[in-house]
Amino acid sequence: MSVGASNPEYVNARVRSRRASLFADEDYRKLIRMGPSGIARFMEESEYEREINELGARFSGVDLIEYALNRNLAKHFHDLLDWSNGQLYDLISRYLRKFDVWNLKTIIRGIYTETDPEEIRTDLIMAGELEEATIDRVLEVDTIEDAIEVLNRTIYYEPLSDAYEEFEETGALVPLENALDREFYEHLLDDLSRGPAAEPQEGPEAKYVEFLQAEIDFRNARNALRLARSGADLDPASYYIEGGVLFDESELNRLVNDYDALVDHIGENKRYGKRLSGAMDRLRNADSLIQFEHALDAALLEYADTLSSIYPASVSAVLSYILAKEREVENIRAIARGREVGLEESEIEEELVIL
């Protein structure tokens, strides 16, 4: 609940215990050699036991794995809110809205590709603020325009409505997805004090802001490269998300077509260069968009880990755990899907984010 004093020491102690149960790198290497049924059995012997057992009568194979992963993820993040009080609760709940954005993007993509609603549902993670009934109603419609109308009493209605015209003109989902990202990230920083761009500030709230600024910076870098490589006639600056410290719109436009300069720009920043030495090597060595995006994911996790080790009584440890748990779920999902379609072990490894 949001009443009372913040209790980061208690929550962080619970988070450390949960973090210790996450899969290790060697677990992923074992899973890569298994089929979907073997992966499900491995999960049954881990902290996913309850979900596998509860869902095993209704689902099998990759469907069982996906439903179990998403239910477990939602449970863990609801626990974070149950444990938290005061400002800490508010900061965590604000950040968990990212799963509302994830779900809406997933549904919009599904409508666009005419995917069966039940298949779309396997990818949904009910850890945000939108009510399940609202999500169900969005899943029931057949067009993106109707999906937007269902959201008319949410914060996402206006930005999606504004972006819909450009979607109709271009046929690309990027305007709609970016509208959701902007709404999420720019609301995250509402009412929070922000310090100078280069120098990190002190205090628990400042660490939350610093982490969010990093996530916005990396999202801007990701979006710019996606647009540059998409071939679509879209202006990268028009998809710029405010709130970061690394780029302004003109810098992003200048760097988008020069990969080496973009990576150097990140490394030369006082805030990131000092704390991301390992991640910078991965960014420099990335030779594809997917590798770059995975390197950014690893960099953000490394950055959150660094903040949580320097400021153990801040919300940083919780944010670091949220990212680490997401990575675990996404890695297991990538392995299960890769094995299902017969990818080589080396091809599956390319899909994983491992520090």
Side-chain angles (χ1 to χ4, degrees):
M1 63 181 66
S2 60
V3 299
S6 284
N7 55 340
E9 292 84 359
Y10 170 74
V11 175
N12 287 344
R14 300 294 298 267
V15 162
R16 280 194 296 274
S17 174
R18 289 283 176 92
R19 181 102 189 223
S21 70
L22 294 178
F23 282 20
D25 290 357
E26 55 266 29
D27 292 321
Y28 297 129
R29 294 188 182 98
K30 292 176 185 175
L31 292 175
I32 285 174
R33 296 193 292 270
M34 300 177 186
S37 60
I39 295 171
R41 285 194 297 273
F42 188 92
M43 291 171 64
E44 190 177 10
E45 296 173 1
S46 73
E47 70 108 34
Y48 292 93
E49 177 185 8
R50 179 176 178 179
E51 289 79 15
I52 292 291
N53 288 335
E54 288 179 348
L55 295 164
R58 285 191 289 155
F59 304 104
S60 62
V62 173
D63 282 349
L64 172 60
I65 292 166
E66 299 225 28
Y67 276 114
L69 288 171
N70 292 345
R71 180 180 288 191
N72 179 272
L73 189 70
K75 179 191 75 174
H76 278 259
F77 294 164
H78 288 149
D79 286 345
L80 294 177
L81 295 175
D82 289 341
W83 298 336
S84 304
N85 294 325
Q87 186 193 34
L88 182 63
Y89 176 96
D90 292 333
L91 295 178
I92 294 171
S93 63
R94 190 182 294 202
Y95 186 69
L96 290 178
R97 288 178 192 155
K98 69 189 295 182
F99 295 104
D100 290 330
V101 171
W102 165 271
N103 289 340
L104 293 177
K105 283 184 180 181
T106 300
I107 295 172
I108 287 171
R109 288 184 201 126
I111 295 172
Y112 184 78
T113 57
E114 300 182 353
T115 303
D116 182 86
E118 285 308 307
E119 190 174 337
I120 298 172
R121 193 184 292 276
T122 64
D123 284 336
L124 303 185
I125 300 168
M126 304 308 296
E129 288 186 337
L130 288 179
E131 294 181 359
E132 191 164 351
T134 301
I135 295 294
D136 287 342
R137 287 173 57 215
V138 181
L139 276 168
E140 289 171 359
V141 303
D142 296 323
T143 69
I144 292 174
E145 187 173 19
D146 288 343
I148 294 171
E149 284 303 316
V150 171
L151 299 168
N152 64 353
R153 295 187 179 182
T154 74
I155 62 173
Y156 304 107
Y157 176 71
E158 186 173 334
L160 284 173
S161 296
D162 292 342
Y164 185 74
E165 183 178 348
E166 188 171 2
F167 160 70
E168 283 198 305
E169 291 173 357
T170 64
L173 292 177
V174 174
L176 297 172
E177 294 185 344
N178 190 69
L180 290 168
D181 283 336
R182 273 182 160 171
E183 186 66 19
F184 168 65
Y185 285 114
E186 293 175 9
H187 266 72
L188 272 178
L189 293 166
D190 285 349
D191 307 319
L192 297 176
S193 58
R194 310 182 205 180
E199 296 300 329
Q201 303 300 295
E202 298 303 321
E205 183 180 287
K207 296 307 112 187
Y208 181 77
V209 171
E210 186 176 341
F211 169 82
L212 297 181
Q213 288 171 333
E215 186 158 339
I216 290 170
D217 282 333
F218 294 168
R219 173 62 61 179
N220 276 328
R222 182 193 308 257
N223 285 350
L225 274 177
R226 279 183 177 177
L227 285 171
R229 299 193 180 190
S230 71
D233 185 20
L234 298 169
D235 177 12
S238 68
Y239 295 92
Y240 174 78
I241 299 171
E242 294 188 9
V245 300
L246 190 55
F247 308 103
D248 60 30
E249 288 186 35
S250 61
E251 285 175 322
L252 204 58
N253 236 357
R254 176 176 59 83
L255 294 168
V256 66
N257 291 312
D258 189 339
Y259 181 84
D260 290 338
L262 178 65
V263 174
D264 287 342
H265 186 79
I266 298 171
E268 290 165 3
N269 180 270
K270 287 183 179 180
R271 179 181 291 189
Y272 301 129
K274 292 187 294 185
R275 294 177 175 169
L276 289 177
S277 55
M280 292 310 303
D281 290 338
R282 284 190 290 272
L283 284 173
R284 289 191 177 92
N285 294 329
D287 57 14
S288 67
L289 180 59
I290 190 67
Q291 285 187 10
F292 177 78
E293 293 190 354
H294 287 173
L296 282 179
D297 289 338
L300 186 63
L301 181 53
E302 182 178 321
Y303 193 67
D305 285 344
T306 301
L307 290 180
S308 66
S309 64
I310 298 173
Y311 308 100
S314 76
V315 70
S316 302
V318 177
L319 298 176
S320 176
Y321 168 71
I322 291 172
L323 289 182
K325 183 65 178 176
E326 283 185 84
R327 294 290 82 73
E328 174 180 274
V329 166
E330 289 171 9
N331 282 341
I332 297 171
R333 179 184 287 118
I335 293 169
R337 287 178 172 176
R339 295 302 293 170
E340 182 183 42
V341 299
L343 293 183
E344 297 292 332
E345 292 181 13
S346 60
E347 293 176 300
I348 297 173
E349 286 178 3
E350 289 280 313
E351 298 294 321
L352 306 185
V353 177
I354 299 175
L355 292 180

